Amino acid sequence: MNRDLRDDVIVVGGGVIGLTTAVVLAEGGARVRVWTRETAERTTSAVAGGLWWPYRIEPAALAGEWALESLAVYEELAGRPEETGVRLVEGVQGETTLAGLGPWAARVPGLRTATAAEYAGVGLWARLPLIDMAAHLPWLRGRLLAAGGTVVERSVSELAEAAAEAPVVVNCSGLGARELVPDPAVRPVRGQLVVVENPGITTWLTSADHTSDTTTYFLPQPGRLILGGTAEEDDWSLTPDPRTAERILARCTALRPELAGVRVLEHRVGLRPARPTVRLERELLPGGQVLVHNYGHGGGGVTVAWGCAREAAELARG
């Protein structure tokens, strides 16, 4: 098949944003190479709890639209959970009201105020996509490869390296954009979580105080339960803190007493790539190459991945 030279695209970054963007581009006919410093299983995306919900991501209006577009995709993927890692699971967003959310909330099927039996405080009940990143990231990579794309483990010190090899570059480097662009507006928001044996919990719950550096949540994933969490701004430490882990376990056990004494399987830390607003825009480089930025999704990368990927692909096509 004869391809336009502009169909040669390098995506920098192999997390959920980079892989999803690469899939959309490749399935649209582009010849796509993903350059990633490490495999998807070692990216920040692999640490994510995986619940669909616009969290710590701006601008809110655009994020709501990107999230709804992604929601439709995840609802379809949930029909093949063993393959895609996506399931629809019931749960409660604590300390949240419909009035406190944007217009997007009215378009989420079944979203309603939680009953007293479902949650002791004020909250919203929903049946939402819960994505098992351990399964979803390899599935995305497989879908990309099936569409003719490739993944190359390669460190990049500047975007010009990619622009020298392809006429179109899509920058999905997440926190790496701080140095790669460079963009000092990109900052880490540290998230620590604890993975434990699941004593039989089948629903999820989150309770986030947006003025605090702590959150409380539990997310049932296949074979395990993920407990969280933290939202520590400008903290670069990837080392799990034992005292933080103890506090996470205590907060979650206060909500679900059956977690007392549960066996801990793993401690994880991820650095969310926060930015005052997501950067999703097209730039023309001096040599004539097209550079599309798609980064700064904070804690909402999984939630908006497909909406942002489709917009980034449109920008790449010009």
Side-chain angles (χ1 to χ4, degrees):
M1 179 173 61
N2 292 325
R3 296 175 182 265
D4 190 303
L5 182 62
R6 290 169 297 178
D7 285 338
D8 191 9
V9 182
I10 291 176
V11 175
V12 178
V16 68
I17 293 294
L19 286 177
T20 307
T21 301
V23 166
V24 172
L25 285 162
E27 293 182 347
R31 181 172 54 249
V32 181
R33 287 172 282 167
V34 173
W35 285 5
T36 179
R37 186 177 59 227
E38 49 202 358
T39 61
E41 290 83 355
R42 297 183 61 196
T43 63
T44 297
S45 299
V47 181
L51 179 68
W52 181 95
W53 190 260
Y55 170 69
R56 297 182 77 103
I57 181 170
E58 297 287 344
L62 287 175
E65 292 302 315
W66 294 328
L68 288 170
E69 192 165 353
S70 302
L71 175 62
V73 176
Y74 289 133
E75 287 175 333
E76 188 275 323
L77 295 179
R80 310 188 305 279
E82 294 83 6
E83 176 189 347
T84 66
V86 182
R87 296 170 296 131
L88 295 178
V89 182
E90 296 177 358
V92 173
Q93 290 280 351
E95 285 62 60
T96 308
T97 64
L98 287 170
L101 301 176
W104 60 268
R107 293 158 59 189
V108 177
L111 184 64
R112 60 167 172 77
T113 300
T115 66
E118 291 165 337
Y119 189 61
V122 175
L124 296 177
W125 179 97
R127 186 169 181 259
L128 299 178
L130 184 57
I131 297 101
D132 178 9
M133 300 307 289
H136 188 64
L137 291 170
W139 174 81
L140 279 174
R141 185 173 54 223
R143 182 164 166 176
L144 171 63
L145 297 177
T150 59
V151 179
V152 179
E153 286 188 50
R154 170 171 174 166
S155 294
V156 180
S157 58
E158 54 184 26
L159 294 171
E161 294 176 34
E165 294 199 23
V168 179
V169 176
V170 185
N171 172 25
C172 301
S173 57
L175 193 58
R178 181 178 175 89
E179 303 298 331
L180 200 56
V181 174
D183 184 352
V186 182
R187 299 159 47 226
V189 176
R190 182 180 182 275
Q192 180 169 331
L193 51 83
V194 183
V195 183
V196 302
E197 283 190 342
N198 191 340
I201 294 173
T202 58
T203 59
W204 53 264
L205 183 137
T206 72
S207 177
D209 179 353
H210 293 276
T211 64
S212 170
D213 64 359
T214 64
T215 60
T216 301
Y217 60 80
F218 49 82
L219 307 170
Q221 293 286 13
R224 63 202 187 281
L225 186 69
I226 297 177
L227 309 180
T230 65
E232 301 160 294
E233 297 186 5
D234 297 309
D235 188 335
W236 289 87
S237 174
L238 287 168
T239 303
D241 179 69
R243 291 168 300 178
T244 298
E246 289 173 5
R247 288 192 288 266
I248 290 171
L249 284 162
R251 292 198 305 272
C252 291
T253 302
L255 292 170
R256 297 297 293 260
E258 63 265 45
L259 290 172
V262 72
R263 188 163 77 94
V264 174
L265 302 177
E266 187 181 358
H267 296 276
R268 295 182 185 172
V269 174
L271 304 180
R272 305 177 184 96
R275 194 174 186 273
T277 62
V278 171
R279 188 178 186 192
L280 186 47
E281 62 185 25
R282 187 177 194 266
E283 180 181 350
L284 192 62
L285 298 178
Q289 303 95 331
V290 171
L291 173 60
V292 176
H293 295 287
N294 183 14
Y295 67 87
H297 303 84
V302 176
T303 298
V304 301
W306 288 94
C308 287
R310 289 172 175 174
E311 186 166 331
E314 286 298 318
L315 293 172
R317 286 190 281 266

